[in-house]
Amino acid sequence: KLEVETLIIIVGFRTDEATKFPLYRSHQGMAALLWGFGGASLKATHASDGEKRHRDDKVWRAILRSDHHNITLDWRQTDMENARKSLRDKIKELSSSPENFSTKPNTEDCMKLSDQTMLEHDFDVDPELQSMCTRFLQNLSEIEISRLQTHERLDLAGLPFPPSALTSLVCLRLCSDDLLHEAALDLLVRPSLRDLDLSNQKLTSPRAEELLCQRGLTRLTALRLRRNCLAQLPPLAAAGLCRLVELDLSENQLTVLPPNLLQLYPALETLNLESNRIAVPALDFRDCGLSTLFLGLNPLEYLPTLAPLTRLTALSL
């Protein structure tokens, strides 16, 4: 090894120059120099089996928020037992704050939490801790899920918590593209939601209709469907989604909009239709409360009068 180091120095530098660069007189410096001479293969040779294994793992992150505390959980889909244990340990650390567990768990949700398909390794968990976990999950108001190290989708068996326990969930954000398998997404889209972000999920119009119009999402006030594959707007109003305040349909494939769109959603304040294929937005702006309207990056040929939009504060054409 010493001969190799000396050889590299002689070839790369004159002796008097090498003394000016103390970096190359250390083992770390030699490693850095070797990478420039095709050392990537050498680096791979010395990689441990554990490092290789971790590079191949599917790593996910969930941020779980209640009214009082947040939990950030990173887990590997190849080690779900440890993922569930980590979640239990994090919840146990919060046990000193009684506000996290102010709601008593009902019997039905406790039974669902012990479902074999979700927590098959948890039958030996202390009943008090199990009850504590149930109450914490029931009190969760917001979940963000993202992938850290994988290009695959997360399936139902890869979730470290049972969606059936999320009885108070009001906000769901999927922060990576094409994130969940259909079965997992179906169970996370719950009737209690008020804020739903399904951007970048490769949703087609039929899939979006199935997901949004058959779940009883009547409390929803914010819906983000940016960058999907929607060719037409799902019949959200007919499914009872009439409370929408924010609707983001940007970066889809929409060509036509229902003229009475704003009448179908009378509470709508923010409408984002940017980057679609809309040529003639035949929208009736009368008697609507829009404050934000984004129509930019469309092949617009005609624009209806904006005079009725007396509350408008942001506009993109």
Side-chain angles (χ1 to χ4, degrees):
K1 185 175 181 181
L2 180 59
E3 293 178 355
V4 172
E5 291 180 354
T6 305
L7 176 62
I8 293 296
I9 291 175
I10 292 173
V11 172
F13 302 94
R14 298 197 308 270
T15 305
D16 57 336
E17 286 182 337
T19 60
K20 299 178 183 178
F21 300 92
L23 170 67
Y24 296 104
R25 297 201 299 270
S26 67
H27 293 294
Q28 294 85 352
M30 288 307 304
L33 183 61
L34 283 171
W35 302 153
F37 288 86
S41 59
L42 179 62
K43 184 178 181 181
T45 302
H46 288 284
S48 68
D49 293 339
E51 289 173 339
K52 290 178 181 178
R53 183 179 66 253
H54 289 329
R55 283 200 300 267
D56 295 335
D57 275 349
K58 306 179 181 94
V59 185
W60 309 89
R61 169 172 292 175
I63 300 176
L64 314 176
R65 295 188 175 97
S66 68
D67 290 340
H68 304 282
H69 289 278
N70 300 342
I71 284 180
T72 298
L73 178 69
D74 296 347
W75 76 96
R76 302 180 185 278
Q77 197 168 350
T78 53
D79 190 2
M80 291 307 301
E81 183 174 0
N82 186 62
R84 287 185 285 266
K85 180 181 182 301
S86 179
L87 178 58
R88 291 196 303 268
D89 290 345
K90 288 177 179 289
I91 293 174
K92 189 175 181 179
E93 291 177 4
L94 300 177
S95 61
S96 59
S97 301
E99 61 267 18
N100 284 287
F101 312 103
S102 58
T103 304
K104 293 182 178 180
N106 61 59
T107 304
E108 180 182 359
D109 284 324
C110 285
M111 292 175 64
K112 289 178 180 178
L113 190 61
S114 298
D115 186 273
Q116 291 185 5
T117 62
M118 294 300 299
L119 298 175
E120 58 183 0
H121 302 290
D122 290 356
F123 293 123
D124 57 344
V125 174
D126 176 73
E128 183 177 351
L129 178 56
Q130 186 85 326
S131 177
M132 188 184 302
C133 293
T134 304
R135 282 178 284 167
F136 178 81
L137 292 173
Q138 285 181 336
N139 289 336
L140 280 182
S141 60
E142 182 177 340
I143 291 181
E144 293 183 7
I145 304 177
S146 57
R147 62 165 63 88
L148 298 184
Q149 185 176 302
T150 181
H151 294 290
E152 298 187 16
R153 293 191 295 170
L154 181 62
D155 58 27
L156 187 58
L159 288 172
F161 49 83
S164 56
L166 307 175
T167 56
S168 300
L169 189 65
V170 297
C171 179
L172 173 63
R173 293 191 177 98
L174 304 185
C175 301
S176 300
D177 63 294
D178 198 20
L179 186 64
L180 299 174
H181 278 283
E182 290 189 1
L185 184 55
D186 286 344
L187 291 180
L188 284 171
V189 176
R190 307 185 60 79
S192 58
L193 287 173
R194 298 179 185 176
D195 188 320
L196 178 57
D197 192 339
L198 296 177
S199 300
N200 296 298
Q201 299 308 306
K202 297 185 178 180
L203 297 178
T204 62
S205 294
R207 173 58 176 153
E209 181 174 351
E210 174 191 3
L211 189 62
L212 299 171
C213 299
Q214 302 176 18
R215 311 283 167 181
L217 300 174
T218 56
R219 302 179 184 179
L220 207 61
T221 59
L223 177 59
R224 301 174 190 88
L225 297 171
R226 181 178 61 88
R227 197 175 295 172
N228 278 289
C229 306
L230 304 180
Q232 59 185 16
L233 181 64
L236 303 175
L241 280 71
C242 299
R243 299 184 181 181
L244 287 178
V245 175
E246 178 183 352
L247 180 59
D248 187 348
L249 297 167
S250 59
E251 299 183 59
N252 278 282
Q253 303 166 16
L254 300 174
T255 57
V256 179
L257 298 171
N260 62 338
L261 175 66
L262 299 174
Q263 285 67 44
L264 292 173
Y265 309 101
L268 202 60
E269 296 179 3
T270 298
L271 177 61
N272 190 346
L273 297 168
E274 284 189 335
S275 297
N276 278 278
R277 303 174 182 176
I278 302 169
V280 181
L283 297 173
D284 185 353
F285 291 127
R286 292 174 296 178
D287 301 321
C288 75
L290 276 185
S291 60
T292 301
L293 175 62
F294 294 146
L295 280 170
L297 301 176
N298 280 286
L300 298 176
E301 298 176 1
Y302 164 78
L303 185 65
T305 178
L306 302 177
L309 299 177
T310 57
R311 302 181 185 178
L312 200 63
T313 59
L315 176 65
S316 166
L317 297 177

